[in-house]
């Protein structure tokens, strides 16, 4: 009975997070409300509060889910039988990051506010998943490149802060582009994959 209840709760939380993610594709973080999210689900607005106390908690759940998906991709890289060289590993990690657009967007745009307005237990759950990402990233470097723990930490402390800046460069707004054009600031179209791959090539 308890297992069935947990499955039901998890399914409903997933539906709410799915709705939030769809809205986030076309709306800004501050424009999205619990009411907006409820119209995209089978729940009323009061019902959503049974699963998330704030909008920020929905986004935190979404971010936690994104890291869980990335962790699965990192495990796949670790699980490859053939040992990869630096270029192949950079490409594999770039591919895993390319599929995590929502992760990059939330991390770059709204992470502080989301963490500040979420319950401690949910923040701990997110940090636990994030810690696993760090450990799996390190394991990728150790497995394929034989990188020491000290070197792996150095690479990580460069890559993860860089990672948070990828989304704004890959998806500048029309207003930002217009302003850059006005002052003749050069810019070019780049993808998440390209930014990740080129940077990892430099630091691995």
């Amino acid at each position: 009975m308890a297992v069935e209840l947990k499955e039901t709760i998890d399914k409903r939380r997933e539906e709410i997070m799915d709705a939030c993610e769809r809205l986030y594709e076309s709306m800004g973080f501050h424009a999205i409300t619990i009411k907006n999210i409820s119209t995209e689900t089978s729940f009323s607005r009061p019902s959503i509060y049974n699963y998330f106390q704030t909008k920020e908690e929905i986004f935190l759940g979404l971010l936690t889910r994104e890291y869980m998906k990335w962790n699965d991709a990192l495990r796949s890289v670790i699980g490859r039988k053939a040992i990869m060289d630096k270029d192949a590993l950079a490409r594999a990690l770039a591919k895993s990051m390319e599929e995590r657009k929502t992760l990059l967007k939330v991390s770059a745009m709204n992470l502080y506010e989301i963490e500040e307005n979420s319950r401690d237990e949910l923040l701990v759950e997110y940090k636990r998943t994030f810690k696993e990402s760090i450990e799996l990233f390190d394991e990728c470097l150790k497995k394929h490149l034989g990188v020491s723990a000290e070197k792996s930490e150095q690479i990580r402390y460069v890559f993860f802060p860089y990672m948070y800046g990828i989304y704004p460069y890959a998806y500048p707004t029309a207003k930002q582009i217009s302003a850059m054009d006005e002052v003749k600031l050069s810019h070019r179209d780049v993808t998440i994959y390209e930014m990740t791959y080129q940077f990892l090539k430099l630091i691995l």
Side-chain angles (χ1 to χ4, degrees), residues 97-111:
M97 189 55 57
E98 180 182 42
E99 298 168 356
R100 301 274 65 85
K101 177 182 174 182
T102 299
L103 183 157
L104 295 175
K105 184 178 181 181
V106 174
S107 298
M109 310 291 280
N110 312 110
L111 183 57

Side-chain angles (χ1 to χ4, degrees), residues 60 64 111 114-116 118-129:
L60 187 64
T64 302
L111 183 57
I114 288 167
E115 290 189 348
E116 188 64 27
S118 296
R119 283 169 289 170
D120 289 350
E121 59 267 30
L122 298 181
L123 184 56
V124 168
E125 180 185 352
Y126 160 65
K127 294 297 185 183
R128 185 178 293 114
T129 305

Side-chain angles (χ1 to χ4, degrees), residues 70-80 82-86 88-90 92-94 96 132-148 152 155-156 159-160 200 204:
W70 191 40
N71 290 348
D72 287 340
L74 293 175
R75 289 190 192 94
S76 178
V77 174
I78 294 167
R80 296 187 187 185
I83 298 299
M84 291 184 278
D85 61 16
K86 291 181 180 181
L89 181 58
L93 292 174
S96 74
E132 188 175 17
S133 299
I134 289 174
E135 293 169 346
L136 291 167
F137 183 84
D138 288 352
E139 186 62 27
C140 286
L141 302 184
K142 180 181 178 182
K143 160 82 181 282
H144 294 288
L145 304 181
V147 172
S148 68
S152 182
I155 293 171
R156 178 170 18 97
F159 176 69
F160 275 74
L200 285 170
L204 290 182

